[in-house]
Amino acid sequence: MWLINSSIGRKVVMSVTGICLILFLTFHCCMNVVALFSGEAYNTICELLGANWYALVATLGLAFLAVVHIVFAFWLTMQNRKARGTERYDVTERRSEVSWASQNMLVLGIIILLGLLLHLFNFWYNMMFAEIVGMETALSPTDGFGWIVETFKNPVFVVLYIIWLVAIWFHLSHGFWSALHTLGWSGKIWQKRWQYIGIIYVTILMALFLIVVLAFAFGCAPSLCAGSCAA
């Protein structure tokens, strides 16, 4: 099958799975922004996306996309390193058109993977997994708002999430337009346009995630103020 046996096919798989993951990040970002303004509304979404069959199917599908993307990323990286041989040890000046992110996608990928594992532990493990197996937790598995508050009270988690988000920004700033280029959706004119569009899009996306982290870390989210006023 050419999607697996050829280098171009593997890049297509990387591109398609990458675009799907960006779309998920967009949905996840919109969901997180809700938590800034209403803890009740956020928990309603969490209940809707709890251990229901459709949420489980979506989670399995998302996990499949993530695993395929990660495996193919390492596969292509090792293939490229093998093809370059000893040339990768030569000291050469980086060309201006080659971004720092494109030359460090493996390192960025490892940081993103470690951040993902931390995120899964803090939220998926204590929420969906706990609800499925009936595990006792400090908070209700459907109290997503409470888990956000609890997680970002810890300054260590705040710093780790910031590092994670910065790594994702660098990764996507290259991956966004690169995926479209691989799929043939950019030519001489549109390649630069997609680069600018991609940078603007992922900057807004990561900035919103960062705002959520910092707002809860410093206790200045409107939803927290509303909760304290109601109490």
Side-chain angles (χ1 to χ4, degrees), residues 203-222:
T203 298
I204 294 173
L205 197 62
M206 292 302 107
L208 289 173
F209 276 117
L210 183 60
I211 288 170
V212 172
V213 172
L214 295 179
F216 280 92
F218 292 101
C220 56

Side-chain angles (χ1 to χ4, degrees), residues 158-205:
V158 173
V159 172
L160 291 176
Y161 269 80
I162 292 174
I163 294 173
W164 186 38
L165 293 174
V166 171
I168 295 175
W169 183 89
F170 275 109
H171 188 80
L172 294 185
S173 67
H174 171 76
F176 184 96
W177 69 264
S178 180
L180 297 177
H181 178 72
T182 297
L183 296 175
W185 295 349
S186 65
K188 292 181 179 180
I189 297 177
W190 271 95
Q191 180 167 331
K192 272 293 181 184
R193 293 178 181 177
W194 280 125
Q195 287 177 345
Y196 289 124
I197 292 171
I199 289 175
I200 293 171
Y201 186 82
V202 301
T203 298
I204 294 173
L205 197 62

Side-chain angles (χ1 to χ4, degrees), residues 6-189:
S6 70
S7 177
I8 295 177
R10 290 191 284 271
K11 288 181 180 179
V12 169
V13 172
M14 279 278 294
S15 299
V16 172
T17 55
I19 291 172
C20 290
L21 292 173
I22 291 174
L23 292 174
F24 167 74
L25 280 176
T26 303
F27 164 77
H28 196 9
C29 181
C30 294
M31 178 178 169
N32 283 8
V33 169
V34 172
L36 285 174
F37 301 98
S38 173
E40 184 179 352
Y42 183 78
N43 281 347
T44 299
I45 298 174
C46 290
E47 290 178 11
L48 181 66
L49 300 176
N52 304 301
W53 69 266
Y54 48 84
L56 291 174
V57 171
T59 300
L60 290 174
L62 180 63
F64 174 77
L65 290 172
V67 169
V68 169
H69 190 79
I70 292 168
V71 169
F72 274 66
F74 277 97
W75 191 356
L76 283 169
T77 300
M78 294 303 106
Q79 177 188 1
N80 292 336
R81 285 176 176 266
K82 184 178 179 180
R84 288 198 303 267
T86 57
E87 289 182 10
R88 67 179 183 272
Y89 299 109
D90 296 338
V91 178
T92 57
E93 185 177 351
R94 179 171 62 87
R95 300 193 308 274
S96 59
E97 68 271 17
V98 179
S99 68
W100 178 88
S102 67
Q103 290 193 326
N104 294 275
M105 292 296 272
L106 179 61
V107 175
L108 292 171
I110 292 173
I111 295 174
I112 292 170
L113 177 59
L114 293 175
L116 176 61
L117 294 176
L118 174 66
H119 187 63
L120 289 174
F121 173 75
N122 283 334
F123 292 98
W124 179 81
Y125 175 75
N126 287 306
M127 295 177 68
M128 180 180 280
F129 180 80
E131 189 175 354
I132 292 172
V133 302
M135 183 177 70
E136 291 189 8
T137 54
L139 300 171
S140 169
T142 57
D143 186 10
F145 185 80
W147 285 110
I148 293 178
V149 174
E150 190 68 23
T151 298
F152 296 123
K153 284 196 313 187
N154 188 330
V156 175
F157 285 150
V158 173
V159 172
L160 291 176
Y161 269 80
I162 292 174
I163 294 173
W164 186 38
L165 293 174
V166 171
I168 295 175
W169 183 89
F170 275 109
H171 188 80
L172 294 185
S173 67
H174 171 76
F176 184 96
W177 69 264
S178 180
L180 297 177
H181 178 72
T182 297
L183 296 175
W185 295 349
S186 65
K188 292 181 179 180
I189 297 177

